Amino acid sequence: MSTGLHFTNVGRAPWHRRGFFASQTFYVAVAFALIALGMAILSPIFLSGGNLYNISKNFSFVAIVALGVTLVIVTGGIDLSVGSTMALVALVTVMTLNAVAGRFSGLPGLALGAALCAGLATSLAIGLINGVLVAKVGLSPFVTTLGMLSIARGLCYVITDGRGQAPQGDDAELLYSLADGQLLGLPMPVVYLLVLAGLLGLVLHHSAWGRHLFAIGGNERAARLCGVRVDAVKISAYVLSALAAGFAGVLMAGWLGSVPANLAFGYELRIIAASVIGGANLAGGAGGPLGAVLGSALIEVIRNGLVLGKVSPYWQDTLIGLIIILAVLVDRLRARRAG
Amino acid sequence: MALLQLRDIGKEFGAIRALGGVDLTLHRGEVLGLMGDNGAGKSTLVRIMAGNFRPSHGTMHFNGRPVEFHRPADARDAGIEVVYQDLALADNLTAAANVFLGRELRRGVWPFRLLDHAAMQQRAAELFQELKSETRPGDLVRQMSGGQRQAVAIARTRLADARLVIMDEPTAAISVRQVHEVLDLIQRLRDRGIAVILISHRMPDVFTVCDRVAVMRRGRKVADKPIGQTSPEEITGLITGALEVA
Ligand SMILES: Nc1ncnc2c1ncn2[C@@H]1O[C@H](COP(=O)(O)OP(=O)(O)O)[C@@H](O)[C@H]1O
Ligand SMILES: [Mg+2]
């Protein structure tokens, strides 16, 4: 835009050194495209409709949660409790559905509605407890959410006695179609992911709340001095993270057709890895939905590649770890070059 | 009627007494130089007036009314703008985003109130131009020079109709030309009836723009006199403690 200002001594970085093109998210997008291209050439199965459908569905669960975790990471925090939250919310939802099954016969959807409300309340409670302990009490995000990881997983076993729970009743079919159906040829989880990612991008970059999230991650003290309601914004990030996890957990329940007490066990690491690979900075102040989606997609494509290449699945975690370090390394090198 | 009246303001941090019984009066359009050695308590006094924290004891009147600021936004709403010593900038945001941090311009109706990027860029550009600073509103603060960062922090004070602007060492890290612009701005603020408290170690700055100078030493105010009735030598003596009181 023209401001009428004349600059004599302030240079401007060339286009490839600023904005999106200089971000880690951009590098990961390029890496993703190259890997996908390589796999398309090496394996005829990769681009087949069935395989792409499976990849996109599998990575959606992780990506939806990564969207929420990215918010927490942007504030400079971390949420380790998302894997357990997925399981606990899925279990509470399914068990409520089963408990009220048959009570609302003739009123389709009501039982599922009640079950989803119970799941929603569980998500809210977990997010609020995390957020208040971090923002108001001042506990470390790492320790707080590590504790919540254990509490929520423990509750999964307490309420189920360790037995898996399968949705029953008339509304079970409704849950399956909402979680595992299709819209315009896309699997439902992908549809939810695209909608949520789009909304989040809009809110992060075009609302005061989003701006405050980045400000807190950049300089929390400055944000406070400038009148940002730091505590409320932080709490909202943890609540949204728990809501995203709960939602993904319910989707997984509908996809699997039953919920084991160890659902999504260890997912927190894959989810945080996806955010970080996509450019979220654990020191706070950077990250976004595009990065979270790309990071999740990259991980899934590599997992898929190993499967198609008949590499032992034991190599997966090792490779994902390497990619995390590589992504952060490339970003560091770039930052050093930019000065 | 005085614009600002502090009575017996004290602040303890645990066992450390940062301020003890400070009285201070400031009138509309008055420019007060606040001087003192490092650790004298200047920034602590600023933070109390800015609502960062409450005094341990003492009262504050602003604009004729007793006030208690619980958070920075309270002081800002009352008409007190502050340039903090560390500038309080978020490095990962643009200059314009920092200028408007906490009071973003938005458009649309709730709940669809979105940031008005264009209006904020435009206004920030005008403010930088007014400060004669070559600062692009869209550039990240991380990539800016000391003078540009200072301009961003000072531009904030021009957003609202302030009655009192407090600047904690605004000229510590900037070039001679920019110091001139800051002093110029202070004079323009005074012409509009806005009071200014300038904290500075630079004797020439204080003697150029201030009407009055107050000196702090070890948490106490040891002098407060019109600029015409003192000299740089006397103030230096008061700061170092060579002179006990004036
Ligand atoms: N948050 C704090 N906690 C503990 N002591 C503090 C704090 N802020 C300031 N102090 C102490 O209060 C005294 C005055 O500090 P300050 O107001 O920053 O001085 P000045 O700005 O004049 O250099 C110093 O001894 C300093 O160490
Ligand atoms: Mg100071």
Side-chain angles (χ1 to χ4, degrees):
Chain A
M1 57 169 280
S2 100
T3 59
L5 279 179
H6 298 287
F7 296 99
T8 50
N9 62 351
V10 191
R12 179 149 216 198
W15 64 270
H16 57 90
R17 290 266 181 95
R18 63 184 148 90
F20 178 64
F21 294 105
S23 69
Q24 184 179 329
T25 308
F26 177 70
Y27 294 123
V28 172
V30 172
F32 175 73
L34 289 179
I35 290 173
L37 188 72
M39 290 191 19
I41 295 169
L42 290 176
S43 164
I45 306 169
F46 178 70
L47 279 184
S48 73
N51 190 50
L52 286 183
Y53 190 89
N54 276 329
I55 291 182
S56 58
K57 199 164 74 176
N58 286 343
F59 99 89
S60 299
F61 303 113
V62 166
I64 286 174
V65 191
L67 290 179
V69 170
T70 297
L71 297 177
V72 174
I73 293 178
V74 167
T75 68
I78 189 83
D79 189 351
L80 297 171
S81 66
V82 284
S84 305
T85 303
M86 289 170 79
L88 184 61
V89 173
L91 284 170
V92 167
T93 305
V94 169
M95 290 171 80
T96 309
L97 183 68
N98 295 348
V100 299
R103 301 232 181 122
F104 303 115
S105 47
L107 290 167
L110 215 56
L112 183 60
L116 289 178
C117 282
L120 184 71
T122 310
S123 283
L124 277 177
I126 292 174
L128 276 175
I129 293 171
N130 282 340
V132 168
L133 287 178
V134 170
K136 293 279 186 196
V137 186
L139 300 187
S140 119
F142 188 94
V143 175
T144 305
T145 59
L146 184 64
M148 185 56 80
L149 177 157
S150 192
I151 292 171
R153 183 63 68 183
L155 287 177
C156 289
Y157 286 94
V158 169
I159 61 174
T160 61
D161 263 334
R163 284 190 294 271
Q165 304 289 318
Q168 289 154 15
D170 297 337
D171 279 2
E173 286 306 320
L174 185 59
L175 175 63
Y176 295 144
S177 65
L178 286 178
D180 205 23
Q182 286 186 24
L183 189 74
L184 306 171
L186 289 174
M188 285 312 282
V190 176
V191 174
Y192 295 128
L193 171 64
L194 293 179
V195 171
L196 290 176
L199 270 178
L200 195 62
L202 179 76
V203 171
L204 265 185
H205 298 292
H206 302 284
S207 80
W209 176 82
R211 170 85 29 104
H212 294 169
L213 216 54
F214 284 104
I216 291 171
N219 187 344
E220 181 173 332
R221 222 182 64 84
R224 213 179 278 277
L225 291 178
C226 290
V228 171
R229 295 166 61 209
V230 172
D231 295 350
V233 174
K234 272 191 178 179
I235 292 173
S236 70
Y238 285 91
V239 167
L240 288 173
S241 176
L243 284 177
F247 181 59
V250 172
L251 289 183
M252 270 185 101
W255 169 51
L256 294 172
S258 91
V259 186
N262 69 350
L263 179 83
F265 183 82
Y267 268 41
E268 54 279 345
L269 288 186
R270 220 201 285 173
I271 290 160
I272 292 167
S275 303
V276 171
I277 290 173
N281 184 342
L282 286 179
L290 185 61
V293 172
L294 277 173
S296 312
L298 187 70
I299 290 179
E300 187 59 34
V301 164
I302 286 169
R303 275 161 42 90
N304 185 249
L306 294 178
V307 172
L308 294 182
K310 299 198 173 55
V311 178
S312 155
Y314 297 134
W315 278 105
Q316 280 181 18
D317 288 345
T318 310
L319 208 65
I320 290 171
L322 276 174
I323 293 162
I324 295 175
I325 294 177
L326 197 69
V328 179
L329 203 64
V330 169
D331 187 51
R332 174 57 58 89
L333 291 176
R334 180 193 60 78
R336 193 170 295 167
R337 197 191 53 185
Chain B
M1 184 189 68
L3 174 68
L4 175 76
Q5 199 150 32
L6 304 182
R7 262 199 219 102
D8 193 30
I9 293 283
K11 178 74 188 178
E12 280 107 44
F13 295 105
I16 302 173
R17 167 170 296 181
L19 282 181
V22 173
D23 295 322
L24 191 70
T25 306
L26 196 66
H27 294 273
R28 288 188 73 234
E30 195 175 20
V31 181
L32 172 75
L34 189 57
M35 305 195 75
D37 217 344
N38 284 330
K42 306 177 300 288
S43 293
T44 304
L45 192 63
V46 168
R47 296 207 182 99
I48 287 171
M49 292 186 272
N52 280 205
F53 43 59
R54 311 272 301 281
S56 305
H57 60 83
T59 59
M60 180 150 77
H61 283 72
F62 191 72
N63 219 17
R65 285 180 296 116
V67 286
E68 277 191 31
F69 299 142
H70 295 268
R71 59 183 79 82
D74 294 346
R76 205 172 66 189
D77 292 344
I80 298 177
E81 294 280 347
V82 187
V83 181
Y84 291 97
Q85 189 165 2
D86 68 358
L87 304 181
L89 300 173
D91 266 0
N92 58 331
L93 299 183
T94 64
N98 268 286
V99 169
F100 282 92
L101 186 56
R103 40 188 159 177
E104 288 79 6
L105 300 180
R106 289 174 294 177
R107 55 181 188 179
V109 284
W110 196 90
F112 304 105
R113 311 231 318 132
L114 298 183
L115 296 176
D116 193 343
H117 298 285
M120 288 192 279
Q121 294 257 332
Q122 184 69 42
R123 183 86 186 96
E126 288 166 14
L127 291 172
F128 295 141
Q129 197 161 25
E130 187 185 312
L131 294 169
K132 301 209 172 53
S133 169
E134 293 182 332
T135 304
R136 251 189 227 93
D139 282 359
L140 290 180
V141 166
R142 182 184 290 132
Q143 299 156 346
M144 291 185 172
S145 70
Q148 289 175 318
R149 298 166 65 91
Q150 210 114 29
V152 173
I154 292 176
R156 279 180 182 153
T157 66
R158 308 292 307 123
L159 281 183
D161 276 329
R163 297 170 198 275
L164 168 62
V165 175
I166 305 173
M167 300 188 178
D168 197 348
E169 310 213 14
T171 53
I174 59 181
S175 71
V176 175
R177 191 174 75 104
Q178 286 165 327
V179 168
H180 185 79
E181 296 306 334
V182 172
L183 299 184
D184 224 44
L185 170 71
I186 293 175
Q187 252 140 13
R188 272 179 282 150
L189 293 173
R190 172 181 39 205
D191 292 345
R192 281 184 235 172
I194 300 168
V196 178
I197 296 178
L198 172 66
I199 296 174
S200 176
H201 284 297
R202 297 167 42 102
M203 210 58 81
D205 295 0
V206 171
F207 275 80
T208 306
V209 292
C210 295
D211 306 309
R212 244 171 70 210
V213 57
V215 179
M216 311 245 335
R217 192 166 68 231
R218 300 218 206 113
R220 295 191 171 275
K221 195 175 81 173
V222 293
D224 188 341
K225 37 169 51 179
I227 209 88
Q229 294 173 22
T230 185
S231 64
E233 293 71 31
E234 187 187 24
I235 298 297
T236 307
L238 287 162
I239 292 172
T240 57
L243 286 175
E244 269 308 319
V245 279

PDB file of all heavy atoms in Angstrom, chain B residues 12-31:
ATOM      1  N   GLU B  12       7.010  -1.799  48.582  1.00  0.00           N
ATOM      2  CA  GLU B  12       8.015  -2.764  49.029  1.00  0.00           C
ATOM      3  C   GLU B  12       7.895  -4.031  48.193  1.00  0.00           C
ATOM      4  O   GLU B  12       6.802  -4.503  47.919  1.00  0.00           O
ATOM      5  CB  GLU B  12       7.790  -3.135  50.503  1.00  0.00           C
ATOM      6  CG  GLU B  12       8.334  -2.116  51.482  1.00  0.00           C
ATOM      7  CD  GLU B  12       7.218  -1.299  52.152  1.00  0.00           C
ATOM      8  OE1 GLU B  12       6.218  -1.906  52.545  1.00  0.00           O
ATOM      9  OE2 GLU B  12       7.355  -0.067  52.245  1.00  0.00           O
ATOM     10  N   PHE B  13       9.043  -4.552  47.770  1.00  0.00           N
ATOM     11  CA  PHE B  13       9.073  -5.881  47.156  1.00  0.00           C
ATOM     12  C   PHE B  13       9.686  -6.813  48.189  1.00  0.00           C
ATOM     13  O   PHE B  13      10.896  -6.875  48.319  1.00  0.00           O
ATOM     14  CB  PHE B  13       9.942  -5.889  45.898  1.00  0.00           C
ATOM     15  CG  PHE B  13       9.399  -5.040  44.779  1.00  0.00           C
ATOM     16  CD1 PHE B  13       9.976  -3.810  44.494  1.00  0.00           C
ATOM     17  CD2 PHE B  13       8.328  -5.473  44.018  1.00  0.00           C
ATOM     18  CE1 PHE B  13       9.489  -3.036  43.456  1.00  0.00           C
ATOM     19  CE2 PHE B  13       7.846  -4.696  42.982  1.00  0.00           C
ATOM     20  CZ  PHE B  13       8.421  -3.471  42.703  1.00  0.00           C
ATOM     21  N   GLY B  14       8.895  -7.506  48.950  1.00  0.00           N
ATOM     22  CA  GLY B  14       9.437  -8.322  50.025  1.00  0.00           C
ATOM     23  C   GLY B  14      10.195  -7.416  50.982  1.00  0.00           C
ATOM     24  O   GLY B  14       9.637  -6.466  51.522  1.00  0.00           O
ATOM     25  N   ALA B  15      11.480  -7.703  51.157  1.00  0.00           N
ATOM     26  CA  ALA B  15      12.276  -6.907  52.098  1.00  0.00           C
ATOM     27  C   ALA B  15      12.831  -5.644  51.441  1.00  0.00           C
ATOM     28  O   ALA B  15      13.337  -4.757  52.118  1.00  0.00           O
ATOM     29  CB  ALA B  15      13.423  -7.749  52.648  1.00  0.00           C
ATOM     30  N   ILE B  16      12.737  -5.565  50.102  1.00  0.00           N
ATOM     31  CA  ILE B  16      13.311  -4.414  49.403  1.00  0.00           C
ATOM     32  C   ILE B  16      12.325  -3.252  49.411  1.00  0.00           C
ATOM     33  O   ILE B  16      11.188  -3.392  48.948  1.00  0.00           O
ATOM     34  CB  ILE B  16      13.648  -4.769  47.937  1.00  0.00           C
ATOM     35  CG1 ILE B  16      14.628  -5.941  47.901  1.00  0.00           C
ATOM     36  CG2 ILE B  16      14.222  -3.564  47.210  1.00  0.00           C
ATOM     37  CD1 ILE B  16      14.874  -6.460  46.496  1.00  0.00           C
ATOM     38  N   ARG B  17      12.741  -2.106  49.936  1.00  0.00           N
ATOM     39  CA  ARG B  17      11.882  -0.939  49.841  1.00  0.00           C
ATOM     40  C   ARG B  17      12.295  -0.150  48.606  1.00  0.00           C
ATOM     41  O   ARG B  17      13.342   0.501  48.574  1.00  0.00           O
ATOM     42  CB  ARG B  17      12.019  -0.073  51.103  1.00  0.00           C
ATOM     43  CG  ARG B  17      11.389   1.300  50.901  1.00  0.00           C
ATOM     44  CD  ARG B  17      11.305   2.073  52.182  1.00  0.00           C
ATOM     45  NE  ARG B  17      10.410   1.405  53.124  1.00  0.00           N
ATOM     46  CZ  ARG B  17      10.145   1.891  54.333  1.00  0.00           C
ATOM     47  NH1 ARG B  17      10.719   2.992  54.736  1.00  0.00           N
ATOM     48  NH2 ARG B  17       9.317   1.261  55.125  1.00  0.00           N
ATOM     49  N   ALA B  18      11.472  -0.251  47.550  1.00  0.00           N
ATOM     50  CA  ALA B  18      11.791   0.421  46.287  1.00  0.00           C
ATOM     51  C   ALA B  18      11.370   1.888  46.330  1.00  0.00           C
ATOM     52  O   ALA B  18      12.003   2.746  45.722  1.00  0.00           O
ATOM     53  CB  ALA B  18      11.107  -0.283  45.123  1.00  0.00           C
ATOM     54  N   LEU B  19      10.297   2.188  47.046  1.00  0.00           N
ATOM     55  CA  LEU B  19       9.796   3.555  47.152  1.00  0.00           C
ATOM     56  C   LEU B  19       9.354   3.796  48.588  1.00  0.00           C
ATOM     57  O   LEU B  19       8.709   2.936  49.195  1.00  0.00           O
ATOM     58  CB  LEU B  19       8.567   3.769  46.253  1.00  0.00           C
ATOM     59  CG  LEU B  19       8.740   3.979  44.764  1.00  0.00           C
ATOM     60  CD1 LEU B  19       7.374   4.185  44.129  1.00  0.00           C
ATOM     61  CD2 LEU B  19       9.647   5.153  44.478  1.00  0.00           C
ATOM     62  N   GLY B  20       9.660   4.969  49.106  1.00  0.00           N
ATOM     63  CA  GLY B  20       9.195   5.277  50.463  1.00  0.00           C
ATOM     64  C   GLY B  20       8.660   6.688  50.542  1.00  0.00           C
ATOM     65  O   GLY B  20       9.398   7.657  50.416  1.00  0.00           O
ATOM     66  N   GLY B  21       7.348   6.803  50.682  1.00  0.00           N
ATOM     67  CA  GLY B  21       6.726   8.098  50.930  1.00  0.00           C
ATOM     68  C   GLY B  21       6.996   9.168  49.886  1.00  0.00           C
ATOM     69  O   GLY B  21       7.534  10.228  50.205  1.00  0.00           O
ATOM     70  N   VAL B  22       6.610   8.907  48.647  1.00  0.00           N
ATOM     71  CA  VAL B  22       6.830   9.903  47.587  1.00  0.00           C
ATOM     72  C   VAL B  22       5.577  10.758  47.381  1.00  0.00           C
ATOM     73  O   VAL B  22       4.477  10.222  47.220  1.00  0.00           O
ATOM     74  CB  VAL B  22       7.200   9.221  46.252  1.00  0.00           C
ATOM     75  CG1 VAL B  22       7.254  10.236  45.125  1.00  0.00           C
ATOM     76  CG2 VAL B  22       8.518   8.487  46.389  1.00  0.00           C
ATOM     77  N   ASP B  23       5.732  12.084  47.422  1.00  0.00           N
ATOM     78  CA  ASP B  23       4.666  13.025  47.057  1.00  0.00           C
ATOM     79  C   ASP B  23       5.028  13.630  45.720  1.00  0.00           C
ATOM     80  O   ASP B  23       6.176  13.988  45.484  1.00  0.00           O
ATOM     81  CB  ASP B  23       4.559  14.159  48.088  1.00  0.00           C
ATOM     82  CG  ASP B  23       4.117  13.632  49.453  1.00  0.00           C
ATOM     83  OD1 ASP B  23       3.272  12.729  49.485  1.00  0.00           O
ATOM     84  OD2 ASP B  23       4.648  14.121  50.462  1.00  0.00           O
ATOM     85  N   LEU B  24       4.023  13.753  44.842  1.00  0.00           N
ATOM     86  CA  LEU B  24       4.304  14.348  43.540  1.00  0.00           C
ATOM     87  C   LEU B  24       3.042  15.004  43.001  1.00  0.00           C
ATOM     88  O   LEU B  24       1.956  14.432  43.090  1.00  0.00           O
ATOM     89  CB  LEU B  24       4.773  13.252  42.570  1.00  0.00           C
ATOM     90  CG  LEU B  24       5.351  13.730  41.237  1.00  0.00           C
ATOM     91  CD1 LEU B  24       6.701  14.389  41.446  1.00  0.00           C
ATOM     92  CD2 LEU B  24       5.484  12.552  40.282  1.00  0.00           C
ATOM     93  N   THR B  25       3.191  16.227  42.487  1.00  0.00           N
ATOM     94  CA  THR B  25       2.048  16.929  41.906  1.00  0.00           C
ATOM     95  C   THR B  25       2.410  17.354  40.495  1.00  0.00           C
ATOM     96  O   THR B  25       3.538  17.768  40.232  1.00  0.00           O
ATOM     97  CB  THR B  25       1.700  18.181  42.737  1.00  0.00           C
ATOM     98  OG1 THR B  25       1.507  17.780  44.092  1.00  0.00           O
ATOM     99  CG2 THR B  25       0.445  18.836  42.216  1.00  0.00           C
ATOM    100  N   LEU B  26       1.436  17.204  39.596  1.00  0.00           N
ATOM    101  CA  LEU B  26       1.691  17.559  38.203  1.00  0.00           C
ATOM    102  C   LEU B  26       0.463  18.280  37.648  1.00  0.00           C
ATOM    103  O   LEU B  26      -0.667  17.878  37.924  1.00  0.00           O
ATOM    104  CB  LEU B  26       1.951  16.271  37.408  1.00  0.00           C
ATOM    105  CG  LEU B  26       2.608  16.421  36.046  1.00  0.00           C
ATOM    106  CD1 LEU B  26       4.021  16.945  36.198  1.00  0.00           C
ATOM    107  CD2 LEU B  26       2.632  15.073  35.349  1.00  0.00           C
ATOM    108  N   HIS B  27       0.694  19.389  36.904  1.00  0.00           N
ATOM    109  CA  HIS B  27      -0.420  20.150  36.350  1.00  0.00           C
ATOM    110  C   HIS B  27      -0.561  19.889  34.865  1.00  0.00           C
ATOM    111  O   HIS B  27       0.341  19.364  34.218  1.00  0.00           O
ATOM    112  CB  HIS B  27      -0.214  21.647  36.622  1.00  0.00           C
ATOM    113  CG  HIS B  27      -0.271  21.970  38.077  1.00  0.00           C
ATOM    114  ND1 HIS B  27      -1.443  22.235  38.738  1.00  0.00           N
ATOM    115  CD2 HIS B  27       0.710  22.037  39.009  1.00  0.00           C
ATOM    116  CE1 HIS B  27      -1.187  22.455  40.019  1.00  0.00           C
ATOM    117  NE2 HIS B  27       0.120  22.344  40.206  1.00  0.00           N
ATOM    118  N   ARG B  28      -1.697  20.310  34.313  1.00  0.00           N
ATOM    119  CA  ARG B  28      -1.944  20.147  32.880  1.00  0.00           C
ATOM    120  C   ARG B  28      -0.839  20.847  32.086  1.00  0.00           C
ATOM    121  O   ARG B  28      -0.432  21.948  32.427  1.00  0.00           O
ATOM    122  CB  ARG B  28      -3.287  20.776  32.496  1.00  0.00           C
ATOM    123  CG  ARG B  28      -4.487  19.991  32.990  1.00  0.00           C
ATOM    124  CD  ARG B  28      -5.762  20.578  32.404  1.00  0.00           C
ATOM    125  NE  ARG B  28      -5.873  20.254  30.983  1.00  0.00           N
ATOM    126  CZ  ARG B  28      -6.053  21.145  30.023  1.00  0.00           C
ATOM    127  NH1 ARG B  28      -6.147  22.429  30.306  1.00  0.00           N
ATOM    128  NH2 ARG B  28      -6.149  20.758  28.780  1.00  0.00           N
ATOM    129  N   GLY B  29      -0.392  20.199  31.048  1.00  0.00           N
ATOM    130  CA  GLY B  29       0.585  20.811  30.165  1.00  0.00           C
ATOM    131  C   GLY B  29       1.958  21.017  30.775  1.00  0.00           C
ATOM    132  O   GLY B  29       2.782  21.734  30.221  1.00  0.00           O
ATOM    133  N   GLU B  30       2.193  20.367  31.894  1.00  0.00           N
ATOM    134  CA  GLU B  30       3.490  20.529  32.552  1.00  0.00           C
ATOM    135  C   GLU B  30       4.412  19.384  32.157  1.00  0.00           C
ATOM    136  O   GLU B  30       3.976  18.239  32.053  1.00  0.00           O
ATOM    137  CB  GLU B  30       3.284  20.533  34.067  1.00  0.00           C
ATOM    138  CG  GLU B  30       4.474  21.055  34.844  1.00  0.00           C
ATOM    139  CD  GLU B  30       4.174  21.149  36.333  1.00  0.00           C
ATOM    140  OE1 GLU B  30       3.236  20.477  36.814  1.00  0.00           O
ATOM    141  OE2 GLU B  30       4.871  21.898  37.015  1.00  0.00           O
ATOM    142  N   VAL B  31       5.686  19.678  31.926  1.00  0.00           N
ATOM    143  CA  VAL B  31       6.651  18.634  31.604  1.00  0.00           C
ATOM    144  C   VAL B  31       7.615  18.493  32.775  1.00  0.00           C
ATOM    145  O   VAL B  31       8.335  19.421  33.121  1.00  0.00           O
ATOM    146  CB  VAL B  31       7.437  18.961  30.315  1.00  0.00           C
ATOM    147  CG1 VAL B  31       8.416  17.834  30.000  1.00  0.00           C
ATOM    148  CG2 VAL B  31       6.478  19.163  29.142  1.00  0.00           C
TER     149      VAL B  31
END
